[in-house]
Amino acid sequence: MNLPDRRRVAYYYDPEVGAYSYGPHGAHYMKPHRITMTHNLVSAYGMLDKMQILRAKRATAEQMTQFHTDEYVQFLSRLTPENADHDAVNHFLRGDDNPPFDGVFEFCSISAGGSIAAANRLSSGAADIAINWAGGLHHAKQREASGFCYINDIVLGILELLRTYPRVLYIDIDCHHGDGVEEAFYTTDRVMTCSFHKFGEFFPGTGELTDIGKGKGKGYAVNVPLRAGITDEVYKSLFEPIVTKILEVFRPSAVVLQCGADSLSGDRLGMLNLTMQGHASCVQFLRKQNVPLMLLGGGGYTIRNVSRAWCYETACALGIEDSLDPFLPYNPHFEFFGPRYRLEVPSSTMEDYNILGGYADDTRKTVLAQLSQLQPAPSVGMHDVPHESVGEHLGWRLELDEPEDEEDKRLAQHARFVYKLQESRASDDTDSEEEATRRRPKKRMSIITNRVMRQHDEFEKEHAVYCGDTGKRTRRRFFEGDENAAWQGPDAIVEAYVSPEIQTTRFGVDYMMSRGGMEGDLDVEDDLG
Ligand code: FE2
C-alpha cells in the first residue's frame, strides 16, 4: 500500500522582518525585504492553508548567549546607528559589510527566534519539516558579526535540536562557506557539518577539502570547495553521493539545510550557475530521507530569484511543486518578476570550471574516501542527550523572566568550550600548528569585494604615535594632520587580493564601481541572469 507522500510543514514568518534595512534606500546587498517577497509568493500560490503558519517568539539576549558572548550580545542589544561607538563597531562588526543599521537587534531576534522555534517544533514531533527563511545566517561568529550575519541562528537552532537528538547533520548550499556553524561544532561528533561552496579568492576564505574537523570532531566536518560556474548536473554529481554517504555513516536524527540562494545563477555576489530546480533538488533529496528537516534561508542577493527559489522550495517541502503554475500568480511584487513572470531561475552560459581537469570527480573521490574512514553512527551517552520538559515543548522556557535551567547552562558552556578549543590549538596534537594556521585565514575578507580587510586594530596601531614627554602610547586619529597619515581613500584599508579571473568578471570591484558601487535598490537591481 502506498502511503500519501505528505509531510507536516511548520512555516515561520514574522510580518515585520521585511521592514528592516541594512542601509538607507536599500543601498546594501542584503535585503530583508526578500523574505516578504517570498512570503507573498507562497501566499499567492495558496500554500498558506497547507502548512502550520507560525510567528516565532523573538529570541532574547539570554538565548543568544547560548552561543555568543555576553559582551557581544549586550553590544548588539544596545546598538543604534546614532550611538554606534567607533571602536566598539570596529571590534564587533568588522568592516563595512555589517553596518549598525536601525533595528539590527530586533532583526536578529526575529531570525534567531524562528530557528529556535523551528528546532523545538521538530523536537516536539509537531512537524516533520520546519521552515524559517529569515534564518540561515551562517557567518556570524561567537563574538563578532561577519558576512551580513550578526547572530548565528543556525548554531542556536542546532543547540536546541541537541537537547533531544543525539546527532544533527548540517548541510549548507550557500555560495559561501558555512564557516560560523562549522567553527562552532568543529570539535564535536554530535554535529556533522557539510558545506558546498565557491572556494578560492572568495569570502570567507575558509572551507578547504582538507578541513575535516578536529579532536573528537575529526572527520565530522565536510568541505566541498567548488570553482566558479557549477551547473545543476555537476552539483548533483557531488551533492547526492556525498550526502548519501554521510547519511549512511553518520545516521543523523535531524537535518538542518541552509538554502542560501546566492548559489543560484545570476546572483549579485555568487559565482555559481544553479537553476531554481537544481538548487531545490537538494531540498527534494533530503525530504525523501524521512528525517526531521529544518529549512533555513541564508545568502541570496538577486532578490527576485531568491523569492522564486524559496517559494518553490516551500512547495517542495509540501510535495506540491509539480502542481504549481509556472506563470507566477498576481502578487504585491508582480512587476519585479518581469519580463517573463515565470517561476524559474534559468542557468547562464558561463563556463563551468569544475569539469576542467576532472576537478569535480577528484573532489568527490577525496570526500567519499574521507567519509569511508568514519565509524558509523557515533554513539552518544545518555548523559549527553538532554531531556526537555513539557513546559519547554509548550514554549514556556522562552519566557523572559524564567531563569536559565541547568541544561541551558551546560549547553552554553559546551558551546563556549568548543569555541575556546579552536582558539587554543597548541594543546591539541591531532592538528599540526601549520594546519591550524592554514585553516584560519590570517586576514578577514569582505563578502562584498572578496578582498582582504586589514584589521582595524592593526591599522590603528600602524598610525599610533608616541606623544610628548610622558612616553605614553596614544592613538592618533587618522585625520589629525600627521603628514605621514594622508587620507588614501577607502581602499587604503583594503589590500589587493583579487585574481585576474575575478577582476575581469562582473564580480570585481571595477564592475561594482562602474555600476555605482553598492547601489542596488529593489527596483533598480540589474538583470544579471
Ligand atoms: Fe552566501
Side-chain angles (χ1 to χ4, degrees):
M1 187 179 80
N2 282 334
L3 292 169
D5 187 31
R6 290 201 186 127
R7 300 287 187 284
R8 293 163 303 157
V9 178
Y11 170 92
Y12 285 89
Y13 177 68
D14 190 314
E16 289 179 31
V17 72
Y20 295 92
S21 174
Y22 275 52
H25 315 298
H28 191 284
Y29 283 89
M30 179 58 109
K31 299 182 195 305
H33 187 62
R34 66 206 176 121
I35 315 292
T36 305
M37 289 175 71
T38 303
H39 180 77
N40 288 335
L41 271 185
V42 166
S43 172
Y45 269 114
M47 288 184 230
L48 295 184
D49 59 5
K50 297 180 171 63
M51 308 183 280
Q52 306 160 22
I53 308 299
L54 300 155
R55 180 177 181 166
K57 193 157 187 168
R58 295 182 179 187
T60 62
E62 188 183 15
Q63 286 178 298
M64 293 174 187
T65 60
Q66 297 275 304
F67 172 55
H68 297 281
T69 63
D70 294 355
E71 298 74 23
Y72 176 50
V73 173
Q74 192 176 60
F75 162 78
L76 269 188
S77 69
R78 295 173 179 174
L79 182 63
T80 68
E82 293 76 29
N83 73 6
D85 172 73
H86 176 264
D87 290 339
V89 165
N90 282 345
H91 184 70
F92 291 118
L93 301 187
R94 300 282 181 184
D96 297 331
D97 289 2
N98 315 299
F101 66 87
D102 204 12
V104 58
F105 185 78
E106 290 83 17
F107 174 74
C108 293
S109 68
I110 290 172
S111 165
S115 298
I116 292 168
N120 285 323
R121 197 82 184 172
L122 293 174
S123 302
S124 71
D128 305 307
I129 301 177
I131 300 173
N132 177 28
W133 295 130
L137 303 180
H138 58 169
H139 297 304
K141 302 292 166 52
Q142 193 199 35
R143 58 190 78 218
E144 67 187 50
S146 174
F148 312 154
C149 307
Y150 300 79
I151 290 292
N152 201 315
D153 62 285
I154 310 171
V155 172
L156 297 174
I158 291 174
L159 287 173
E160 282 301 310
L161 292 173
L162 290 176
R163 300 163 73 89
T164 302
Y165 297 114
R167 289 177 301 279
V168 175
L169 169 61
Y170 172 70
I171 302 177
D172 189 317
I173 60 169
D174 193 282
C175 185
H176 301 96
H177 178 224
D179 58 341
V181 185
E182 179 186 279
E183 194 167 298
F185 301 112
Y186 206 61
T187 60
T188 178
D189 59 1
R190 289 195 59 196
V191 179
M192 179 176 265
T193 60
C194 175
S195 178
F196 298 80
H197 50 268
K198 166 76 174 73
F199 183 81
E201 296 170 358
F202 197 68
F203 180 88
T206 48
E208 285 193 62
L209 200 54
T210 47
D211 295 334
I212 59 167
K214 189 175 167 222
K216 210 175 173 191
K218 193 160 191 171
Y220 295 92
V222 178
N223 281 296
V224 187
L226 307 172
R227 293 177 178 169
I230 196 165
T231 56
D232 292 351
E233 191 189 352
V234 179
Y235 199 91
K236 192 172 188 167
S237 79
L238 289 163
F239 185 89
E240 294 198 354
I242 289 170
V243 175
T244 299
K245 187 70 181 171
I246 288 174
L247 293 168
E248 179 194 319
V249 299
F250 186 62
R251 287 193 233 151
S253 24
V255 178
V256 176
L257 177 63
Q258 195 267 19
C259 302
D262 45 11
S263 41
L264 290 169
S265 184
D267 187 81
R268 295 177 75 205
L269 292 181
M271 294 181 75
L272 306 182
N273 195 16
L274 298 183
T275 69
M276 181 184 76
Q277 311 281 353
H279 194 268
S281 72
C282 302
V283 175
Q284 292 167 322
F285 183 81
L286 287 166
R287 183 185 188 269
K288 278 190 287 191
Q289 310 304 323
N290 286 322
V291 176
L293 176 62
M294 194 191 304
L295 299 179
L296 301 174
Y301 308 102
T302 299
I303 63 176
R304 58 185 180 279
N305 289 344
V306 176
S307 54
R308 283 172 162 123
W310 290 348
C311 168
Y312 185 72
E313 287 164 8
T314 305
C316 291
L318 289 164
I320 60 165
E321 64 272 34
D322 293 338
S323 69
L324 296 188
D325 187 343
F327 291 97
L328 293 170
Y330 187 75
N331 67 86
H333 307 287
F334 193 68
E335 66 270 33
F336 300 120
F337 297 103
R340 286 166 61 86
Y341 304 99
R342 288 175 66 93
L343 186 60
E344 64 181 6
V345 180
S347 59
S348 77
T349 55
M350 75 188 290
E351 184 165 6
D352 184 353
Y353 288 91
N354 294 276
I355 50 177
L356 299 179
Y359 176 77
D361 291 338
D362 292 346
T363 302
R364 184 189 321 103
K365 276 182 208 149
T366 306
V367 174
L368 291 177
Q370 284 167 0
L371 289 168
S372 297
Q373 292 171 5
L374 289 180
Q375 294 293 321
S379 62
V380 175
M382 284 311 290
H383 64 280
D384 286 331
V385 184
H387 297 283
E388 228 177 359
S389 72
V390 175
E392 285 168 344
H393 278 303
L394 296 175
W396 294 345
R397 63 176 297 278
L398 303 183
E399 290 300 325
L400 273 168
D401 53 359
E402 187 173 281
E404 254 188 338
D405 66 20
E406 284 306 308
E407 203 54 62
D408 286 329
K409 284 182 189 158
R410 201 186 63 74
L411 278 168
Q413 281 163 8
H414 175 73
R416 288 172 186 176
F417 176 67
V418 165
Y419 201 94
K420 280 187 183 123
L421 268 182
Q422 287 157 55
E423 289 183 339
S424 57
R425 321 187 145 267
S427 59
D428 191 333
D429 58 8
T430 62
D431 199 0
S432 73
E433 202 53 37
E434 192 186 340
E435 270 180 296
T437 311
R438 180 183 53 73
R439 212 183 87 71
R440 271 201 173 203
K442 287 181 191 136
K443 308 266 183 182
R444 284 181 180 76
M445 296 174 86
S446 160
I447 191 172
I448 296 173
T449 63
N450 293 306
R451 284 179 165 195
V452 173
M453 293 185 289
R454 203 188 299 184
Q455 300 282 323
H456 278 266
D457 45 1
E458 261 175 53
F459 180 67
E460 292 203 352
K461 209 190 292 175
E462 278 180 29
H463 292 89
V465 292
Y466 287 93
C467 280
D469 300 334
T470 63
K472 266 192 176 174
R473 193 175 170 84
T474 60
R475 280 177 184 161
R476 174 177 286 189
R477 290 278 173 229
F478 207 32
F479 300 100
E480 284 179 358
D482 181 345
E483 59 182 10
N484 296 319
W487 174 241
Q488 303 291 315
D491 284 347
I493 57 166
V494 178
E495 289 175 2
Y497 191 86
V498 183
S499 70
E501 178 200 359
I502 289 185
Q503 278 172 352
T504 54
T505 64
R506 60 186 167 80
F507 311 101
V509 173
D510 291 345
Y511 169 79
M512 280 195 292
M513 295 312 288
S514 71
R515 60 188 301 280
M518 286 171 59
E519 289 299 317
D521 209 345
L522 174 64
D523 52 355
V524 295
E525 214 177 72
D526 284 356
D527 187 351
L528 300 173

